[in-house]
Amino acid sequence: MAATATSTLQIATARSCMSSPRKLVKAGAAVLGTSSKQLSWSKLASSSSVSSVQPLQRSFMKSSVRSCKVATKAMAESGDTKPAPGLPIDLRGKRAFIAGVADDNGYGWAIAKSLAAAGAEILVGTWVPALNIFESSLRRGKFDESRVLPDGSLMEITKVYPLDAVYDKMEDVPEDVKTNKRYAGSTNWTVQEVAESVKQDFGSIDILVHSLANGPEVTKPLLETSRNGYLAALSASSYSYISLLKHFLPIMNQGGSSISLTYIASERIIPGYGGGMSSAKAALESDTRVLAFEAGRRRKIRVNTISAGPLRSRAAKAIGFIDTMIDYSSANAPLQKELSADEVGNAAAFLVSPLASAITGAVIYVDNGLNAMGVGVDSPIFKDLDIPKAEH
């Protein structure tokens, strides 16, 4: 288990910070007003292992603190000091497998960071064609700035597994995929094989995260979506979660937790989010309730899904209008601000922690409240109404 990430996680609000040429300081110190001179820099070195289990040593580089908006941050307290006041999220001694991490700017990465900040050991599953780039970026330190945790240390990824969650076992893989050069050099990447590899390497896990979605025809209206495109969206975006939980459930410790990511298009019309993706998200939410019952009865595993608002991630840009959706959300949500990936990560950390021990089968909205709105208040039809706006 990762002993260096022994921290408890509390939810705090990080105020806007201005650019500084100083070395990157602890997020906790930045919020609490601690001088950077008081900080110990001995903890700012970490390592990350990839599929070959070769430790990747990276020294912490000087970096400027970017200007950041008011956002919820995960605050870490040293496990060696007295217990933090309040209700800390403590995941020390827990191991998490996060499926669907291929870069450092999506929800999967943010969830990994929040879990790591709370003390969990992190394993990730990366789509096979993206594996080499992801591992190379880790080795070269490209993600080091993004790996910084609230206490100033770097998130450690104990191991990266190649994964294609569209296939349950190798017999299901078409020959053209097996021989595809993007899969060359990788083995044991079907869901069944990855679960077996994790069992051989670590024995068990406590947390399973599904951060996967793909719709090859997502830009097409539903009436123009082909059968193959529709079924492909459901296979990659919803059935993949059933498969992951089915194969990982036997190695999940009782009392563990599993979460997935969904979107409001499951229950509301979002023009442009096509290709069967809205249907896939609706299926994912329905499956969450059934899986909560079955996994709960079998192994006392809690199953929930987070309905996250729009994020300007690389994956979301494939939809083609993500910037418009972010602007719409900022204009119409009760909380007029851009959603940060950290906020979804922190919600995930809460859901998999003992603090959420009675929550299962739920859809948790983390979208600045946009799901509660019945109309778009930025519509010209409401121009004469005195609609309150956010104070700046």
Side-chain angles (χ1 to χ4, degrees), residues 140-192:
R140 289 164 32 219
K142 185 177 179 181
F143 296 151
D144 279 2
E145 185 176 350
S146 300
R147 289 171 57 205
V148 178
L149 298 176
D151 69 350
S153 64
L154 300 185
M155 173 177 68
E156 294 185 10
I157 299 177
T158 302
K159 188 168 182 179
V160 179
Y161 291 87
L163 170 67
D164 192 331
V166 170
Y167 305 107
D168 298 331
K169 52 188 183 301
M170 189 53 67
E171 301 89 90
D172 300 334
V173 183
E175 196 59 35
D176 62 324
V177 174
K178 291 179 181 179
T179 57
N180 190 304
K181 64 180 181 180
R182 297 195 297 173
Y183 287 75
S186 294
T187 58
N188 301 324
W189 43 259
T190 64
V191 176
Q192 182 184 63

Side-chain angles (χ1 to χ4, degrees), residues 6-258:
T6 54
S7 59
T8 55
L9 182 151
Q10 291 179 296
I11 304 304
T13 299
R15 298 190 176 276
S16 178
C17 52
M18 301 304 294
S19 295
S20 168
R22 297 174 184 270
K23 291 182 178 180
L24 190 62
V25 299
K26 290 185 181 179
V31 174
L32 299 176
T34 304
S35 168
S36 62
K37 294 180 181 179
Q38 297 173 301
L39 303 180
S40 171
W41 294 97
S42 62
K43 297 182 180 179
L44 297 184
S46 179
S47 63
S48 172
S49 298
V50 293
S51 299
S52 60
V53 203
Q54 295 287 336
L56 305 175
Q57 300 297 333
R58 283 288 176 269
S59 61
F60 187 70
M61 306 298 292
K62 291 182 180 180
S63 176
S64 296
V65 179
R66 295 180 177 177
S67 174
C68 55
K69 299 179 181 179
V70 175
T72 304
K73 295 295 182 183
M75 305 309 300
E77 296 282 347
S78 171
D80 298 328
T81 61
K82 63 181 180 180
L87 290 173
I89 295 178
D90 189 353
L91 298 178
R92 287 173 293 183
K94 305 297 184 182
R95 182 179 295 115
F97 181 87
I98 303 166
V101 180
D103 56 42
D104 65 340
N105 73 343
Y107 285 136
W109 179 272
I111 291 172
K113 282 187 66 177
S114 288
L115 300 190
E121 180 180 18
I122 304 300
L123 314 176
V124 304
T126 299
W127 187 45
V128 184
L131 182 67
N132 288 336
I133 295 177
F134 182 67
E135 291 184 332
S136 175
S137 296
L138 281 173
R139 282 194 299 270
R140 289 164 32 219
K142 185 177 179 181
F143 296 151
D144 279 2
E145 185 176 350
S146 300
R147 289 171 57 205
V148 178
L149 298 176
D151 69 350
S153 64
L154 300 185
M155 173 177 68
E156 294 185 10
I157 299 177
T158 302
K159 188 168 182 179
V160 179
Y161 291 87
L163 170 67
D164 192 331
V166 170
Y167 305 107
D168 298 331
K169 52 188 183 301
M170 189 53 67
E171 301 89 90
D172 300 334
V173 183
E175 196 59 35
D176 62 324
V177 174
K178 291 179 181 179
T179 57
N180 190 304
K181 64 180 181 180
R182 297 195 297 173
Y183 287 75
S186 294
T187 58
N188 301 324
W189 43 259
T190 64
V191 176
Q192 182 184 63
E193 291 172 315
V194 173
E196 291 173 351
S197 295
V198 172
K199 180 180 180 180
Q200 292 173 4
D201 294 340
F202 300 97
S204 64
I205 65 170
D206 303 278
I207 300 164
L208 177 65
V209 178
H210 177 277
S211 181
L212 300 165
N214 183 50
E217 299 180 16
V218 66
T219 58
K220 291 184 178 181
L222 192 57
L223 282 174
E224 297 176 15
T225 300
S226 69
R227 183 183 296 272
N228 287 339
Y230 184 93
L231 295 177
L234 265 72
S235 174
S237 308
S238 52
Y239 185 79
S240 58
Y241 187 38
I242 299 174
S243 180
L244 277 169
L245 195 53
K246 171 185 176 182
H247 289 93
F248 275 87
L249 191 63
I251 66 169
M252 291 188 72
N253 295 318
Q254 288 201 14
S257 181
S258 180

Side-chain angles (χ1 to χ4, degrees), residues 305-390:
T305 187
I306 294 176
S307 184
L311 177 72
R312 199 175 278 107
S313 65
R314 292 186 184 94
K317 288 178 181 177
I319 301 173
F321 63 102
I322 188 63
D323 291 335
T324 301
M325 294 305 300
I326 291 174
D327 292 341
Y328 178 85
S329 178
S330 297
N332 293 286
L335 300 178
Q336 286 189 278
K337 63 181 181 63
E338 186 169 333
L339 183 70
S340 77
D342 288 339
E343 290 170 310
V344 172
N346 292 341
F350 161 72
L351 283 174
V352 302
S353 77
L355 295 181
S357 59
I359 300 176
T360 192
V363 177
I364 305 298
Y365 296 95
V366 184
D367 62 356
N368 289 324
L370 185 64
N371 71 92
M373 299 301 297
V375 295
V377 294
D378 62 346
S379 171
I381 199 170
F382 298 116
K383 62 181 172 42
D384 296 328
L385 294 183
D386 186 19
I387 296 175
K389 299 241 174 99

